[in-house]
Amino acid sequence: MSFNVAIDGPAGAGKSTVAKAVAKKWNLIYVDTGAMYRAMALFMMREGVNLQDEEAIAGKCREAHITIRYENGTQVVFLNEENVNALIRTEEVSHAASLVSVIPDVRRAMVELQKKLAADSDCIMDGRDIGTCVLPGAQLKIYLTASSTVRAGRRYEELTARGVSCDLNQIQADIEERDYRDMHREISPLRQAEDAILVDTSEMTQEEVISAVSRLCGKAG
Ligand code: C5P
């Protein structure tokens, strides 16, 4: 049986940074499930599908074949055989991903792919519904969070450092809107699994979070 770690939490809590570092330390594969929903969102945007039209999304999603491969230890997402890693990190795609991810047919396809990846390899998987729905039997579940003010501030600094001009209040509003949608959707909303360990990173440095999660991982393995 493979060893699986589930990390869930709201946007900007630092899940991917932590998961990547812990994966390296414990020799696990890092599975970023948000990237799969982002690839699906990109497909819908390119096809000109109205993102408020659930039926249209459900109808179209069968045409998007999303696969994951690993190149030099890095996850690469393919949309109909095209590497879309560099195209899915925009604010527009973040917003679209949270709209397409409410559609049951989209979730079904993504969850199937995620379960298969976890069954085949020791992995640390991050997302919104990993502990509650995708990997209910994971040996370790973490719910990583931070206040929306802290999360928006981190995102603002990250973008500013990359030379992207942005507005802090707008970033916070976008994060809160996405949190709300992720937590209130009908199917597998974001919530802490009963057996998940809560890690609030509002007052922690990145190094502290990585070492705390690494320790938990060592104990669970
Ligand atoms: O984690 P990331 O910000 O890349 O996720 C983008 C969006 O994809 C989230 O806001 C959420 O709506 C959706 N998502 C999801 N379930 C997951 C991972 C992401 O619904 N397991």
Side-chain angles (χ1 to χ4, degrees):
M1 201 173 97
S2 53
F3 175 69
N4 295 155
V5 179
I7 302 195
D8 291 299
K15 300 184 295 292
S16 66
T17 309
V18 173
K20 269 184 211 156
V22 173
K24 205 166 181 193
K25 174 160 169 64
W26 293 104
N27 206 19
L28 306 169
I29 283 176
Y30 166 51
V31 184
D32 169 3
T33 64
M36 303 176 194
Y37 291 95
R38 286 169 180 271
M40 182 62 85
L42 179 68
F43 174 77
M44 296 298 165
M45 285 161 62
R46 283 175 167 179
E47 292 289 312
V49 174
N50 174 359
L51 297 174
Q52 310 291 343
D53 184 344
E54 302 199 357
E55 252 176 59
I57 296 174
K60 260 287 178 214
C61 75
R62 276 168 221 108
E63 294 172 27
H65 184 55
I66 292 166
T67 49
I68 297 292
R69 271 173 240 154
Y70 286 86
E71 291 177 4
N72 302 320
T74 301
Q75 171 179 302
V76 183
V77 186
F78 289 84
L79 168 61
N80 295 333
E81 295 306 316
E82 174 193 355
N83 175 345
V84 292
N85 262 25
L87 307 173
I88 57 174
R89 296 290 155 199
T90 64
E91 293 304 308
E92 200 187 355
V93 172
S94 302
H95 177 73
S98 88
L99 290 170
V100 306
S101 70
V102 306
I103 311 297
D105 285 353
V106 169
R107 298 207 74 80
R108 211 168 294 127
M110 300 297 106
V111 169
E112 191 184 321
L113 172 61
Q114 292 154 14
K115 280 183 190 269
K116 184 160 179 358
L117 284 165
D120 289 347
S121 29
D122 293 342
C123 72
I124 181 162
M125 186 179 285
D126 80 359
R128 304 292 187 288
D129 59 340
I130 311 305
T132 52
C133 164
V134 181
L135 304 176
Q139 285 87 343
L140 174 65
K141 296 180 186 175
I142 308 275
Y143 190 83
L144 202 72
T145 191
S147 71
S148 63
T149 313
V150 167
R151 288 184 282 128
R154 287 177 188 159
R155 180 84 184 129
Y156 176 81
E157 273 168 32
E158 194 185 306
L159 289 170
T160 313
R162 286 198 339 234
V164 180
S165 84
C166 53
D167 176 67
L168 180 59
N169 291 329
Q170 186 58 47
I171 292 177
Q172 183 160 349
D174 289 347
I175 280 184
E176 286 173 0
E177 184 199 322
R178 202 139 70 91
D179 286 355
Y180 185 88
R181 201 175 302 115
D182 289 347
M183 288 171 177
H184 292 87
R185 66 178 173 227
E186 221 162 285
I187 303 184
S188 36
L190 168 64
R191 64 177 175 79
Q192 185 181 341
E194 272 172 26
D195 51 350
I197 297 167
L198 175 71
V199 179
D200 186 330
T201 72
S202 302
E203 315 250 304
M204 294 167 84
T205 64
Q206 202 171 76
E207 290 67 36
E208 285 170 338
V209 182
I210 291 169
S211 76
V213 175
S214 260
R215 258 198 316 275
L216 290 168
C217 208
K219 271 197 220 156

